[in-house]
Each structure stands twice: as structure tokens, then as C-alpha cells.
Amino acid sequence: QVQLVESGGGSVQAGDSLRLSCVVSGLAFRAYSMAWFRQAPGKEQEFVGGISWSGGASTYSDSVKGRFTISRDNTKSILYLQMNSLKPEDTAVYCCAVDRFLRRDGVRSRLEDYRYWGQGTQVTVSS
């Protein structure tokens, strides 16, 4: 069965960094575009960033652009999210997700474009 397991979250101070990991199993990881979403308290699920199946393209929400970097290791089937200069408004549960289709070019930002989801890892940023 398909499994996505996030890790790397924690409680940090504003300005600190964290690196989230998403270990994927049960599918051909290297053939799918991937993304990170987050859900802050009292808010809806929000697209954070995504990376194409080839790794040649990535995109980010305006709120994290320049601070977060998404990457993937196709040998280890791991998706990463490097988060720098963290702000209190970054506090959320972060989830990774798998695109619905094999080798679909580009990156999508809608929840409906993703089929499999991890359970999430909590990131808490204090001022």
C-alpha cells in the first residue's frame, strides 16, 4: 500500500530553520510530481510548494517564496522541505502529497490535483 510519512517538525523560535522529510513507499516515487501543503489553526489547507516529477521545476506560494526550498531524492524516495527564516505565521501541520497522474509535467497547487497524502508533521514557531 502507498504510504507517506512526514517527519522533522518541531517547536522553534522565529528566525530558526527546519527541514521536513516525507518518505514515500508503495509507488514509483520518481515518476510523480510532489507537493507540500499546510493547515494552520482555523484555516483551510494551503499549498506551500511543489516539485515536478523530473525535479526540473518547482513553485512556491508567495508567503514562503525565498524562505522555503523543496527538493527530492529519487534514490531514497524522499521529499524534502527546507524552511528558513521561520515566522510565527508558518505554524501549521505540514503534509506531503502525491500527484494524481504519472509523469504529469509542471506543478499544481489545488488539493484536487493530489491523490495520496501523509498524516502530517507539526511545525510551531514562537515569536
Side-chain angles (χ1 to χ4, degrees):
Q1 56 182 318
V2 177
Q3 288 188 311
L4 288 73
V5 181
E6 300 95 337
S7 63
S11 298
V12 298
Q13 295 293 118
D16 286 350
S17 297
L18 284 173
R19 188 178 73 160
L20 306 184
S21 298
C22 171
V23 179
V24 181
S25 62
L27 53 70
F29 174 79
R30 64 185 297 112
Y32 290 92
S33 296
M34 299 287 298
W36 287 96
F37 289 80
R38 68 185 182 186
Q39 187 168 24
K43 296 185 178 181
E44 295 295 317
Q45 199 83 242
E46 175 191 23
F47 175 79
V48 176
I51 186 167
S52 63
W53 70 272
S54 67
S58 60
T59 189
Y60 305 90
S61 69
D62 290 339
S63 62
V64 307
K65 193 173 300 181
R67 299 187 298 119
F68 291 10
T69 303
I70 191 169
S71 62
R72 63 192 299 158
D73 185 334
N74 286 338
T75 300
K76 299 179 179 179
S77 297
I78 301 177
L79 178 73
Y80 298 102
L81 183 67
Q82 178 66 46
M83 305 185 295
N84 298 326
S85 302
L86 283 163
K87 304 175 180 179
E89 50 262 46
D90 294 320
T91 295
V93 175
Y94 285 72
C95 296
C96 57
V98 183
D99 195 280
R100 287 190 175 274
F101 298 97
L102 281 165
R103 298 182 179 89
R104 185 158 65 158
D105 289 339
V107 178
R108 289 139 292 280
S109 60
R110 300 183 305 168
L111 297 173
E112 294 79 7
D113 286 313
Y114 296 88
R115 182 178 183 180
Y116 299 108
W117 297 79
Q119 295 179 338
T121 185
Q122 176 71 48
V123 172
T124 302
V125 185
S126 301
S127 61

